[in-house]
């Protein structure tokens, strides 16, 4: 259950885990800002949230760009007065996938790390600055991936970026705990999001359902997760119920990585 009247910022909030998280916070009474690069999807998500009575705004932003993130945080505070919770969920598999490491070029590396790692650093940079300006206190949840727990064949750049997200989370948690700012990570397994389904389609264009079934068969719970299940974990990490939790990597993957950790 979200804490009422908290101001929450969710990046990548127009679909998947981000939208599920924004919806859950809104249903709990929080004011929610969603951010995404795609204005059309962001507007659709905003309308969906407002239909459930949410006090919410959509702000278009590319969170791999410093100026966009600085303005995003400024606009959030201008609209709602403060920032209490940030969920840094935005990520992308647009490039840097389905090739062995030595086949990537530098532009692919730079783009992938920018979208999936630099973006999280930039978000924390400006979110933490705002929380400190408010006098401290707050919660940040960074969405990482089980891919960041080890190497992934044909997906090395994504694995590296998500491992970096976990390291940034643990570092920031130690640096700002004394200021009452708790920083944690959701380490997500496979959830039924547009990004995952697109990955299945790209991996097997003629029969994406076969890849989906293969993936589900590797999960001890026997299925792909619902984004609402990821959102529930994020809400707990951000809530007062997790007041003694900092620098934690909460793995939510249906048991997928249990044999290896």
């Amino acid at each position: 259950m979200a804490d009422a009247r908290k101001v929450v910022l969710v990046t990548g909030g127009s679909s998947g885990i981000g939208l599920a998280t924004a919806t859950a916070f809104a249903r709990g009474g929080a004011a929610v800002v969603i951010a995404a690069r795609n204005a059309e999807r962001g507007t659709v998500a905003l309308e969906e949230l407002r239909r459930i009575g949410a006090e919410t705004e959509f702000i278009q932003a590319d969170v791999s760009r410093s100026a966009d993130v600085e303005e995003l945080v400024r606009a959030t505070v201008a609209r709602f007065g403060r920032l209490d919770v940030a969920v840094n969920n935005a990520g992308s598999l647009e490039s840097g996938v389905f090739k062995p490491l030595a086949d990537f070029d530098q532009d692919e590396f730079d783009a992938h790390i920018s979208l999936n790692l630099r973006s999280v650093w930039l978000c924390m940079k400006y979110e933490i600055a705002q929380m400190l300006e408010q006098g401290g206190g707050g919660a940040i949840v960074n969405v990482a991936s089980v891919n960041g727990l080890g190497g992934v064949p044909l997906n090395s750049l994504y694995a590296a970026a998500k491992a970096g997200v976990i390291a940034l989370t643990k570092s920031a948690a130690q640096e700002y705990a004394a200021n009452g700012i708790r920083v944690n990570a959701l380490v997500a397994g496979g959830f039924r999001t547009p990004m995952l389904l697109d990955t299945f389609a790209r991996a097997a264009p003629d029969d994406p359902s076969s890849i989906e079934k293969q993936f589900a068969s590797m999960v001890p719970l026997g299925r792909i997760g619902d984004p609402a299940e990821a959102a529930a974990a994020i809400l707990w990490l951000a809530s007062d119920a997790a007041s003694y939790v900092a620098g934690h990597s909460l793995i939510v993957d249906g048991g997928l990585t249990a044999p290896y950790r």
Side-chain angles (χ1 to χ4, degrees), residues 78-217:
R79 172 65 177 84
F80 291 115
R82 58 184 294 111
L83 176 64
D84 299 299
V85 175
V87 180
N88 298 318
N89 165 73
S92 173
L93 281 171
E94 292 175 1
S95 63
V97 294
F98 304 129
K99 289 194 292 190
L101 181 146
D103 288 356
F104 293 120
D105 61 36
Q106 182 173 316
D107 288 342
E108 288 174 309
F109 178 91
D110 290 345
H112 199 85
I113 297 301
S114 174
L115 289 167
N116 292 291
L117 180 57
R118 184 173 72 188
S119 59
V120 175
W121 167 67
L122 284 172
C123 286
M124 284 200 291
K125 173 181 173 66
Y126 291 105
E127 292 157 358
I128 289 170
Q130 175 59 36
M131 290 173 178
L132 291 174
E133 186 175 328
Q134 294 167 183
I140 295 174
V141 181
N142 298 319
V143 178
S145 165
V146 293
N147 290 284
L149 300 176
V152 182
L154 305 184
N155 204 4
S156 59
L157 301 186
Y158 189 71
K162 291 302 185 178
V165 169
I166 294 171
L168 284 179
T169 298
K170 291 177 181 291
S171 300
Q174 295 173 79
E175 292 170 351
Y176 296 100
N179 302 105
I181 301 172
R182 294 186 304 104
V183 187
N184 293 288
L186 173 74
V187 182
F191 288 89
R192 189 171 296 281
T193 64
M195 188 167 77
L196 182 63
L197 297 179
D198 179 66
T199 301
F200 292 154
R202 291 161 66 188
D206 296 331
D207 188 13
S209 64
S210 66
I211 302 296
E212 182 174 343
K213 290 175 183 176
Q214 180 181 348
F215 183 91
S217 71

